[in-house]
Amino acid sequence: MNIFLDNVNINSRTGPNHFGKKLIKYLAKQGHSFHGNGQLDAQLSFIERKAILAPDIPVIQRLDGIYFDPTNNYKLQNKNILKTYEAASGVVFQSEFSKNLVSKHFGEHENYTIIHNGADLELIDSIEPVKINGEYDSIWCCASHWRPFKRLSENIRYFLEFSSSKDILIVCGNPDKKDVVKNEKIIYTGEVDTLNLLSIFKAADYFVHLGRYDNCPNVVVDSRACGCEIICASVGGTREVAGENATIILEDEWQYEPESVNEPRPLDFTKTTKNRSSSEIDINITATKYSNFIEQTIKGIKEK
């Protein structure tokens, strides 16, 4: 297939674009192309459609979450996402959580699938773990484009409560100054490029991701592929890709009603469980699922 990729910037390190770069690589390995000026078979729009092509080219929407913060005009923020959803011939959700959230607000789409994000195992295998000066019992890590609902302060609090005196925590990304805890056991790296981030993941034993609302965080998929044991919160799609025996911090169930994302809720670390489900995290398998769904969608349209 020749696929038009819409609303993707492979030079950006944000979650959707980071994933887009991996997806392009492995769909191309499977023989698919992305020549925007050729005969197109489908348009794959990330989150919302930006380019309007010929009406006979089916649009597949790759959708993570939607806006729901009542302190903002979330219905206006969702306007073009909903318009794309209604016009799309098929929708790919990143997780069951994503599907439930969107269906609650937009209604259920007649043609959808759930495909979790995947890790580039080939690339990960080629990377050496970062060398860290000093001797430690365990290395912990967390990484994000830090915002209040990512709950960095809870990540740090969990680490300080459950780590040994000879453990360290590596925090990647640029946190808000108010969330920075100065401690000799915590290292702040600032922004890190993909290769160095994977190198840190390969050196780490634990990856802490206590954010709320995340649909399918790439950092969790990648760190798990690098061998980290995952610790995450229960609200969101993170637990779906955290792997078997990941530690889940339980929260009250969320019914997908509007609420502020800028008021992070403290967690009760005594309420935990072990994850009992696993999921594929190989981007090659992910790419195959995408190509199968797009092909099935095209076939379904032709058969109508």
Side-chain angles (χ1 to χ4, degrees), residues 9-69:
N9 177 8
I10 62 173
N11 295 315
S12 169
R13 292 204 300 269
T14 60
N17 294 303
H18 172 64
F19 172 79
K21 187 174 183 178
K22 292 187 286 187
L23 184 64
I24 291 168
K25 175 182 174 181
Y26 280 86
L27 283 174
K29 280 177 175 284
Q30 295 177 11
H32 303 294
S33 59
F34 307 92
H35 304 301
N37 57 353
Q39 178 63 42
L40 292 167
D41 297 296
Q43 173 174 335
L44 179 58
S45 295
F46 277 42
I47 302 174
E48 57 186 306
R49 182 170 61 175
K50 297 292 187 180
I52 307 296
L53 304 181
D56 60 333
I57 299 172
V59 173
I60 309 297
Q61 181 182 30
R62 177 188 181 265
L63 191 53
D64 43 14
I66 55 174
Y67 297 99
F68 51 81
D69 188 336

Side-chain angles (χ1 to χ4, degrees), residues 111-279:
N111 180 38
Y112 72 87
T113 189
I114 296 169
I115 306 175
H116 294 123
N117 294 343
D120 188 339
L121 303 185
E122 180 182 276
L123 176 62
I124 288 170
D125 286 344
S126 72
I127 294 174
E128 293 296 323
V130 68
K131 293 181 180 179
I132 301 173
N133 294 328
E135 294 184 5
Y136 305 101
D137 288 342
S138 294
I139 297 171
W140 300 53
C141 182
C142 59
S144 185
H145 295 285
W146 296 107
R147 288 163 284 174
F149 67 87
K150 299 290 185 176
R151 290 194 286 210
L152 173 58
S153 59
E154 291 296 270
N155 288 358
I156 293 172
R157 185 168 71 90
Y158 186 93
F159 165 73
L160 293 175
E161 286 190 24
F162 293 95
S163 61
S164 79
S165 60
K166 292 187 177 180
D167 290 0
I168 59 166
L169 171 66
I170 302 174
V171 179
C172 302
N174 292 322
D176 192 296
K177 289 182 180 179
K178 67 179 176 58
D179 292 325
V180 173
V181 175
K182 293 184 178 180
N183 188 293
E184 62 182 9
K185 294 171 61 180
I186 304 175
I187 299 169
Y188 297 90
T189 68
E191 288 296 327
V192 179
D193 65 33
T194 299
L195 296 182
N196 284 314
L197 188 62
L198 293 174
S199 182
I200 292 170
F201 290 168
K202 290 195 78 170
D205 301 287
Y206 301 100
F207 188 84
V208 192
H209 193 85
L210 298 180
R212 182 178 172 91
Y213 315 119
D214 276 317
N215 290 276
C216 189
N218 286 289
V219 288
V220 171
V221 173
D222 286 343
S223 60
R224 178 185 157 200
C226 288
C228 294
E229 182 177 319
I230 307 299
I231 301 156
C232 67
S234 63
V235 172
T238 307
R239 65 185 301 170
E240 297 177 40
V241 292
E244 195 171 6
N245 291 322
T247 298
I248 311 297
I249 313 300
L250 299 173
E251 300 185 75
D252 291 339
E253 290 293 327
W254 180 46
Q255 301 304 318
Y256 310 104
E257 297 294 339
E259 62 181 39
S260 173
V261 300
N262 293 314
E263 298 173 4
R265 303 165 183 227
L267 293 162
D268 182 351
F269 296 151
T270 66
K271 296 179 179 179
T272 66
T273 188
K274 284 293 183 180
N275 211 20
R276 298 304 177 200
S277 62
S278 190
S279 63

